[in-house]
Amino acid sequence: MRKHKLQLLHAAGLALLCSTAPLSHAYALELFGRCILGKCTSDEEKDNADLIDPKRYDVNFSVVNDEDVVGDAIKSASQLWQGKDRAVGGSAGVIARAKGDYRRILASLYNEGRYGGTISIKINGTEAASVPVGTEFNSGDTIVVEVNPGPVYLFGNAQVEGAPPAPTMRGDELPSLEDVGFSAGAEAKAGSVGKASKLLKDKWRQQGYATAKVTDRAVTANHPTQKLNVVLTVESGPPAVYGDAVVQGTDRMDPAFVARQTGLVAGNEFDPDDLVKAKKRLDRLGVFSTQKIEEGKAVSEDGTLPIGLIVKERKLRRIGLGATVSSLDGIGLESYWLHRNLFGKAERLRLDAKVGGLGSTFDYQKFDYELGAAFTKPGVFTPDTDLNFNLYARREYNDSFIETSAGSNIGLTHYYSDALIFNGGVFVEAAKFESKLGDRDFITAGLDFSAVYDSRDSKLDASEGFYLSGTVKPFYEFNYQNFGAAVKVEARSYLSFGEDDRIVLAGRALAASIVGTDRSETPDNFLYFAGGGGSVRGYNFNGIGVEDTSGDITGGKSKLEASAELRFKTWGNFGGAVFIDAGSVSADTLPSFDQDVRLGAGFGVRYFTGLGPIRVDFAMPLNRRDSDPHYGIYAGIGQAF
């Protein structure tokens, strides 16, 4: 390349000042970054207000040859192009931006396998690399950028000295060098060399060599043949096992417990996957605001690798408030108090209070109430097993039944992997129900087993992955002396389309059944209903069940539900959704479709935030009965499923 066109100079930094907003904007109101009331300050005005002698420029940007192939990559790298609509602070700022573009554009060419290109950036006819510091630039002047990418180079030699052996365990397998584009005959993109270097290091580390590193990259370009020859030299270092983990930063937490919860056992072979799991285990404790796992710089003579844990504890207590809104079910309010670390080993105590149905009625006796206490002790038996104990008392009032109950359960949660979780425990409940099936009292005890597989990329706004859950709940009811079991399975799937997953097709299906007991001798909260914001939208909560000749609704012994939703992003942080839900409840153990399948459909608006999308849905029942509402409106944070 021409030296005068690639010369890089250090430019003077931009001087920034704080300025006071104009008085005319004093009565403006912005919400979520959008002007709601008055004359708000534009982003451009905000930027310009902080600049010394703001300068604007025009840019004439041309890519000679292959513009369709590499033009977007080059322009994306150019600050001159990306910032052409924004003012720059002073002449020095313009010149600094222009001179910095040589390096940025050159890097983008290398990333595209172009090593014989030329770059010209001229300010008022003078190559920017030659413009002296202190030269004045007038607003409105034109900067001319011309890039000739040159031909695509291919890898001639793509060699590795000190390559790792083939792994002997499935968990140690990683992609091949060909998968990252590092092979003879492939396009010689600079990024492929970096990816290959990291991959070689990771391959050695995956087999227990913690200090492996690439010690040399010999890169030569043969311009006549348009080939790039690369030799990567790797040193594996000695194999390593874990040493004792040293914990720093604990205040109330027991350091020995923190070390144990990582699952890093002294003497075990080093595996980088263990470090990833260790961090997730510490995250799951919910005690630390930050945690960092540091590997030793070198392996000791005895083959051990020192491990350091640096943590910072959160405040012990937390108070939370929440609300749900539905045009059919009214307003629900809830609050909780949380203690994160009762006895020094991340034991959590949470107290909850909820009230629902506000606004749907003014009769406090028809409100829903619930009080609960939950205790969790992590690290029982294994670092991935938690002990859970819960107590609750509640009163629920809906059109199908009135429940007054109290109960408790104790069980274990085992995190088998990032995606797969198992739960198992025992429960006991005493309850009184008033419904069309009669006024009945129950004392029920049993077992509760469940498994959840969740590979979604986000729990609040999934665009890909699967959610599968299954529950088996065998029980014995003492008053009626019946054995029974409740079984439920649910599946959710997501498929995204378009750039940045702007369109997502989501689907949900659920099936549930009770065996062994008659409906009249089964607690109403064990029986199945459908309808409401998390079920078939457009219908009342629990408004779909077994309907008798008089139109009264009672719970069924089986249920089927399905939903399909098309979600999309429109502009900025806004988006929407259209959906259809279906649900059917049967009096029999197996669905007999003796009741009509209820359908609800509608549309919604989404506002995407860092916490998740704010959701507002409008739904109508498609085969409405006289007792059903004409529509329902639901609001919350996160997608419906």
Side-chain angles (χ1 to χ4, degrees):
M1 291 190 186
R2 303 172 188 171
K3 293 183 179 179
H4 74 279
K5 291 187 176 181
L6 297 178
Q7 182 181 7
L8 300 178
L9 297 175
H10 292 291
L14 300 181
L16 301 178
L17 294 177
C18 295
S19 62
T20 304
L23 184 62
S24 61
H25 295 158
Y27 299 102
L29 173 63
E30 293 186 48
L31 182 63
F32 299 125
R34 296 185 178 274
C35 188
I36 304 300
L37 179 65
K39 184 178 185 298
C40 300
T41 305
S42 67
D43 291 339
E44 182 177 310
E45 290 172 327
K46 293 174 184 176
D47 292 338
N48 290 346
D50 291 334
L51 297 177
I52 292 178
D53 187 21
K55 299 288 187 181
R56 293 188 169 278
Y57 60 86
D58 294 327
V59 59
N60 186 347
F61 204 113
S62 62
V63 179
V64 181
N65 301 322
D66 293 341
E67 180 172 6
D68 293 340
V69 178
V70 298
D72 289 343
I74 294 171
K75 289 180 177 179
S76 294
S78 168
Q79 281 194 3
L80 284 171
W81 179 259
Q82 294 297 322
K84 64 184 184 297
D85 297 325
R86 299 189 300 273
V88 185
S91 299
V94 177
I95 296 170
R97 180 176 287 185
K99 290 182 176 181
D101 258 11
Y102 286 111
R103 172 178 50 82
R104 288 184 285 266
I105 294 174
L106 182 63
S108 72
L109 291 177
Y110 284 178
N111 284 333
E112 296 296 325
R114 311 296 181 110
Y115 298 89
T118 60
I119 305 168
S120 175
I121 302 174
K122 291 184 177 181
I123 300 176
N124 294 328
T126 302
E127 197 68 35
S130 303
V131 174
V133 175
T135 300
E136 284 300 315
F137 179 89
N138 298 318
S139 283
D141 285 354
T142 299
I143 301 175
V144 178
V145 181
E146 184 176 295
V147 181
N148 187 339
V152 177
Y153 282 45
L154 305 179
F155 284 116
N157 295 325
Q159 298 179 353
V160 177
E161 295 184 0
T168 57
M169 299 180 63
R170 177 176 296 181
D172 293 339
E173 293 178 353
L174 291 174
S176 66
L177 294 176
E178 289 79 7
D179 291 334
V180 297
F182 186 72
S183 62
E187 291 188 4
K189 297 183 177 181
S192 297
V193 178
K195 291 176 182 177
S197 299
K198 182 180 183 303
L199 180 58
L200 289 166
K201 174 183 173 181
D202 290 345
K203 283 176 176 286
W204 273 114
R205 282 170 55 83
Q206 200 70 42
Q207 298 186 50
Y209 294 81
T211 58
K213 58 184 176 181
V214 175
T215 58
D216 186 48
R217 298 183 188 181
V219 182
T220 57
N222 188 326
H223 294 287
T225 61
Q226 299 172 8
K227 296 290 180 65
L228 193 74
N229 299 311
V230 181
V231 179
L232 301 178
T233 303
V234 190
E235 290 184 2
S236 67
V241 298
Y242 298 115
D244 291 325
V246 178
V247 181
Q248 302 177 47
T250 54
D251 183 9
R252 304 172 186 88
M253 283 289 290
D254 180 352
F257 176 78
V258 176
R260 185 248 188 191
Q261 279 301 107
T262 64
L264 303 176
V265 179
N268 283 3
E269 180 184 287
F270 171 85
D271 187 337
D273 295 337
D274 292 341
L275 303 182
V276 175
K277 293 177 182 177
K279 187 178 186 306
K280 291 179 179 179
R281 290 183 180 115
L282 295 180
D283 286 339
R284 203 161 57 224
L285 293 176
V287 175
F288 304 119
S289 58
T290 59
Q291 58 267 338
K292 182 180 180 181
I293 300 177
E294 289 189 340
E295 302 175 34
K297 300 295 184 182
V299 178
S300 303
E301 292 183 1
D302 61 358
T304 61
L305 179 72
I307 296 293
L309 304 176
I310 302 174
V311 298
K312 182 178 179 181
E313 296 181 14
R314 292 177 173 174
K315 294 181 178 180
L316 278 178
R317 299 169 184 84
R318 182 179 181 181
I319 296 175
L321 300 172
T324 58
V325 180
S326 168
S327 64
L328 302 179
D329 305 320
I331 299 172
L333 301 176
E334 58 185 82
S335 64
Y336 69 86
W337 176 89
L338 173 69
H339 194 298
R340 305 179 193 275
N341 185 20
L342 277 176
F343 309 120
K345 294 184 178 180
E347 300 91 347
R348 295 189 300 275
L349 176 63
R350 173 168 169 153
L351 305 178
D352 286 88
K354 302 178 183 180
V355 59
L358 305 176
S360 62
T361 177
F362 295 98
D363 185 352
Y364 70 92
Q365 294 182 349
K366 295 183 178 180
F367 292 165
D368 299 330
Y369 303 96
E370 183 170 353
L371 295 174
F375 174 79
T376 301
K377 180 175 177 54
V380 177
F381 305 126
T382 78
D384 295 312
T385 308
D386 294 350
L387 173 68
N388 305 294
F389 178 70
N390 296 278
L391 289 170
Y392 63 88
R394 63 171 171 253
R395 176 177 171 82
E396 181 176 335
Y397 190 103
N398 59 63
D399 293 338
S400 303
F401 61 83
I402 301 173
E403 172 189 354
T404 304
S405 62
S408 66
N409 59 72
I410 185 170
L412 298 174
T413 298
H414 182 70
Y415 298 88
Y416 182 81
S417 68
D418 291 343
L420 184 58
I421 302 173
F422 295 101
N423 294 280
V426 298
F427 70 91
V428 60
E429 179 182 79
K432 178 179 180 180
F433 295 93
E434 303 173 41
S435 71
K436 298 301 179 181
L437 294 175
D439 295 349
R440 300 165 299 154
D441 295 332
F442 296 93
I443 299 177
T444 311
L447 305 176
D448 193 348
F449 302 103
S450 67
V452 176
Y453 177 82
D454 189 352
S455 65
R456 296 175 295 176
D457 56 347
S458 169
K459 289 179 172 55
L460 293 177
D461 188 20
S463 60
E464 61 181 26
F466 298 92
Y467 173 93
L468 302 171
S469 69
T471 301
V472 178
K473 195 173 181 179
F475 61 86
Y476 179 77
E477 202 293 307
F478 289 89
N479 286 348
Y480 292 93
Q481 300 181 357
N482 286 330
F483 282 101
V487 181
K488 182 172 70 173
V489 293
E490 183 179 4
R492 306 174 191 176
S493 181
Y494 307 85
L495 185 62
S496 61
F497 304 90
E499 185 179 355
D500 299 327
D501 300 328
R502 298 190 67 85
I503 300 176
V504 176
L505 180 62
R508 180 184 73 96
L510 179 148
S513 178
I514 293 176
V515 297
T517 61
D518 293 331
R519 276 203 315 143
S520 61
E521 298 179 351
T522 304
D524 288 87
N525 61 345
F526 279 42
L527 297 174
Y528 298 115
F529 297 85
S535 178
V536 184
R537 285 163 284 187
Y539 294 83
N540 287 319
F541 174 71
N542 283 2
I544 302 173
V546 177
E547 185 176 0
D548 60 22
T549 55
S550 62
D552 292 328
I553 301 295
T554 53
K557 293 180 63 177
S558 61
K559 176 173 74 168
L560 295 174
E561 286 184 358
S563 297
E565 187 164 284
L566 182 65
R567 304 165 183 169
F568 50 88
K569 296 179 180 178
T570 52
W571 68 91
N573 292 329
F574 285 94
V578 292
F579 55 84
I580 184 169
D581 301 327
S584 176
V585 176
S586 176
D588 301 320
T589 296
L590 295 177
S592 60
F593 296 101
D594 52 350
Q595 305 286 315
D596 291 338
V597 176
R598 296 296 162 189
L599 301 174
F603 62 90
V605 176
R606 307 289 186 268
Y607 183 84
F608 298 94
T609 72
L611 297 176
I614 298 174
R615 169 176 54 92
V616 179
D617 287 338
F618 174 88
M620 297 177 60
L622 297 185
N623 49 347
R624 177 181 172 274
R625 300 159 298 188
D626 291 340
S627 59
D628 293 325
H630 291 277
Y631 64 89
I633 299 176
Y634 311 90
I637 296 179
Q639 300 287 3
F641 58 88

